[in-house]
Amino acid sequence: MASPLSFQFASIVRLGIKSLLLHKLRSGLTMLGIIFGVCSVIAMLAIGEGASFEAQEAIKRLGSSNIILRSIKPPEQARQQSGGGGPRGMQLKYGLTYQDASRLQSTIPGVVRVVPMRIIRENVRYSRNEIPCQVIGTLPSYTEVAGARIVRGRFLAHIDEVHQNNVCVITTGLARRLFPSEDPIDNTIKIDAFYYRIVGILEEQSQPEQRTQSGRMEGEPLDNNVYIPLSTSRTRFGEVLIRRTAGSFEAEEVQLHQITVQMQDTAAVETADPQIKALLDRFHDQPDFEVIVPLQLLRQAEQTKRIFNIVLGSIAAISLLVGGIGIMNIMLANVTERTREIGVRRALGAKRRDITRQFLVETIVLSVGGGLIGVIVGVLTPVVVSQITTMKTIVTVWSVLIAFGISGAIGIIFGLYPARAAARLDPIDALRHE
C-alpha cells in the first residue's frame, strides 16, 4: 500500500506533467536547449575519444619498448641542396652507420636486439605492371620487433642474409595491386636491374612517419613495401643513392635509414634513451639523426587526450548552461502567467512548499526528459558520423552519465529561483492579478 508521502509526490508529478502538456510546443522548444546540450557533450567527447584512441594505437604499433633512430639530412646540407648554394653534383654523406648499430648492441645495457633498415625508393615491375614502392633491406628479426604478421609463406631467413639471396617479402596491398589475378608466391618481380623471388606476404603496419627523407612517396599507399635481406640491399644498390636532375645530379651516401632498438621493458627504455643520444653524439659531428621514443609519444598523447576532453567537455557544457538559462526564463514567464492559479491554490490551503515543489517538478521533468532524449540522439550521432566520414568514434559510459547528470542538476539549479519566486507571491495580490 502506497504511503501518503509517495501518493502526494506522485500527485505533484502528475500535476506538473499535466501543466507542461497544456503548452506542448513551448515545453518542446524549452527542452531543445537541454537536448542539444546533452547531445553535444556525448558526441564531442565520443569524437575526441575516437581520435585519441587512433593516435595512441598508431604509437603503440611503433612498439612501447622500442627506441627508433632515424637518419635525417643535416639542416646546413639540406639548405645548400634546396637553395642551390652547394657545388654542382655535390655528394652528401650523413646518417646512421653499421658501426652505430654494432655499438648500440654491445654498449647499451638492456638491449634485446637491434634491427637496422635501409629504405630505397624504386619501381617494382611484374609483367606489364609497374608500381613505385619502398625497398626495405632489413634482418629476419624485423617481424618480431615491428609486430608485423606474415599472411602467407615466410619472412626473410638467416640463410638469405648470409648468402645475399635475391628473395623478397611483399605487403598485402602491393600484392593486390601487382598481382590482381595471380598468386604472388614464388613469382619473380624486377626491381632496378635485378629479379627477386617472392617468398612471403606481410600484413603492413607502417605509419606515415616510417617514410624516410630518401623515400618520399607522398600520395602513394603506405603498404607498397618490398622487404629484402639487408646484405642483398647493400650489394645490389650500394650505399650511394644518385638522383639525376636537369643539368646536375645529387648523390647521398646513407648507410642506414633507420635502426630500431628493442629494449627489455619500458623501464629500460627510459634509462637507455639518454645513453643512446650520448653515444651517437660522440661519433657524429653533425645533427644527422633523430631519436624517437614511442613510450614518450604515448604519454604525450594521453596527456593531450585529457586536455582535449576537458576543452570539448567545457564547450559542450556551455550549451547545457544556455539550455538551463532558457528553462529558467520560460519558467519565470510561466509563473507570471499562472499567478492567479497560484493565488487560488494558496487560498485553498496550499503551502509555500507545495507551490515550490510544483514548479520545481515541472523544471526537473523538462530537464530530465530533455536529457533522456539528448542521450539517445547523442549516442546515435557518433554512429552516423562514423558511417559518413569513416572517423572512429567511441561513446563512453562516463560521458553519458556526466551529460545526463549535468542536465538533471541544471533542472534543479535553474528551477529553484522560479519556484521560490512563485512560492513567495502574496495570495491576495495573486488573486487580484489579471
Side-chain angles (χ1 to χ4, degrees):
M1 185 177 177
S3 66
L5 191 62
S6 60
F7 179 76
Q8 187 181 8
F9 179 74
S11 300
I12 293 173
V13 172
R14 276 198 302 272
L15 182 62
I17 294 174
K18 188 177 177 182
S19 301
L20 292 174
L21 290 177
L22 289 176
H23 306 281
K24 295 187 182 68
L25 180 60
R26 187 168 66 183
S27 301
L29 293 175
T30 307
M31 290 170 68
L32 278 181
I34 296 296
I35 293 173
F36 287 139
V38 172
C39 174
S40 313
V41 170
I42 297 173
M44 292 179 79
L45 290 179
I47 292 171
E49 194 74 23
S52 172
F53 176 80
E54 287 192 331
Q56 291 184 48
E57 285 300 304
I59 295 171
K60 285 178 184 174
R61 283 197 289 270
L62 293 175
S64 58
S65 62
N66 292 344
I67 297 177
I68 299 171
L69 314 174
R70 286 179 181 155
S71 297
I72 57 171
K73 192 177 293 182
E76 182 64 26
Q77 293 186 13
R79 189 163 51 250
Q80 287 181 359
Q81 198 173 47
S82 60
R88 290 170 65 85
M90 65 183 298
Q91 177 173 330
L92 305 180
K93 182 178 180 180
Y94 63 90
L96 301 164
T97 64
Y98 291 96
Q99 283 191 334
D100 289 331
S102 300
R103 290 191 193 105
L104 291 168
Q105 180 75 66
S106 59
T107 308
I108 305 296
V111 173
V112 177
R113 55 173 66 88
V114 172
V115 179
M117 293 172 67
R118 184 168 165 71
I119 305 174
I120 301 157
R121 180 183 175 182
E122 274 292 348
N123 285 350
V124 56
R125 301 179 183 85
Y126 176 75
S127 185
R128 293 182 180 180
N129 294 337
E130 182 171 348
I131 298 175
C133 70
Q134 287 191 132
V135 181
I136 302 175
T138 188
L139 298 179
S141 55
Y142 171 81
T143 52
E144 299 166 29
V145 173
R149 187 172 69 89
I150 291 291
V151 178
R152 288 194 59 206
R154 64 172 176 87
F155 195 65
L156 307 172
H158 180 65
I159 193 169
D160 299 323
E161 179 67 24
V162 172
H163 294 285
Q164 301 176 7
N165 291 338
N166 276 15
V167 295
C168 69
V169 175
I170 63 175
T171 50
T172 51
L174 182 61
R176 284 194 302 271
R177 297 178 191 97
L178 206 57
F179 299 90
S181 58
E182 293 182 53
D183 184 1
I185 299 294
D186 286 334
N187 271 310
T188 303
I189 58 176
K190 185 179 182 184
I191 303 173
D192 195 15
F194 301 95
Y195 289 89
Y196 298 82
R197 184 171 63 87
I198 300 172
V199 296
I201 300 175
L202 184 76
E203 186 178 63
E204 183 56 65
Q205 298 185 6
S206 63
Q207 307 298 317
E209 296 81 8
Q210 191 171 330
R211 288 179 172 166
T212 64
Q213 291 180 337
S214 59
R216 294 191 182 96
M217 292 180 64
E218 287 80 2
E220 298 293 338
L222 282 173
D223 57 350
N224 274 359
N225 290 350
V226 178
Y227 295 86
I228 63 175
L230 184 62
S231 59
T232 306
S233 167
R234 195 174 184 180
T235 304
R236 304 291 181 264
F237 296 99
E239 291 175 352
V240 179
L241 303 178
I242 299 175
R243 296 176 189 162
R244 289 182 172 80
T245 56
S248 183
F249 72 93
E250 300 170 7
E252 292 182 357
E253 181 179 348
V254 182
Q255 292 187 14
L256 295 173
H257 293 96
Q258 179 174 309
I259 297 174
T260 303
V261 183
Q262 187 181 37
M263 307 300 298
Q264 287 177 343
D265 48 39
T266 54
V269 170
E270 300 193 52
T271 308
D273 177 28
Q275 295 175 341
I276 289 175
K277 289 175 182 171
L279 178 67
L280 293 179
D281 283 336
R282 184 178 175 187
F283 293 97
H284 287 251
D285 298 329
Q286 52 186 354
D288 57 354
F289 68 89
E290 64 177 350
V291 179
I292 299 172
V293 183
L295 182 64
Q296 294 176 355
L297 296 177
L298 186 61
R299 288 175 179 167
Q300 290 172 4
E302 289 172 348
Q303 176 68 18
T304 305
K305 170 194 165 187
R306 284 193 286 272
I307 296 172
F308 199 54
N309 282 345
I310 290 172
V311 172
L312 287 178
S314 301
I315 294 172
I318 290 173
S319 62
L320 266 176
L321 185 67
V322 173
I325 293 172
I327 286 181
M328 186 168 67
N329 285 337
I330 293 297
M331 292 309 295
L332 284 173
N334 205 11
V335 169
T336 305
E337 285 181 3
R338 295 162 62 185
T339 302
R340 191 172 179 81
E341 176 194 330
I342 295 169
V344 172
R345 291 198 65 197
R346 291 296 306 277
L348 292 176
K351 297 180 180 178
R352 283 188 172 180
R353 63 170 179 268
D354 297 324
I355 304 298
T356 303
R357 284 176 190 164
Q358 178 188 347
F359 281 89
L360 195 57
V361 164
E362 290 182 19
T363 312
I364 293 175
V365 168
L366 280 175
S367 59
V368 171
L372 286 173
I373 299 173
V375 166
I376 296 170
V377 179
V379 170
L380 292 177
T381 302
V383 177
V384 175
V385 170
S386 295
Q387 293 293 326
I388 295 175
T389 65
T390 68
M391 181 188 298
K392 187 173 185 61
T393 57
I394 299 174
V395 178
T396 56
V397 176
W398 63 266
S399 68
V400 174
L401 294 177
I402 284 179
F404 185 70
I406 291 177
S407 71
I410 281 177
I412 296 172
I413 293 169
F414 287 92
L416 270 177
Y417 178 72
R420 290 174 65 86
R424 283 199 296 265
L425 285 176
D426 184 75
I428 298 174
D429 292 339
L431 286 170
R432 289 175 180 169
H433 184 78
E434 294 294 337

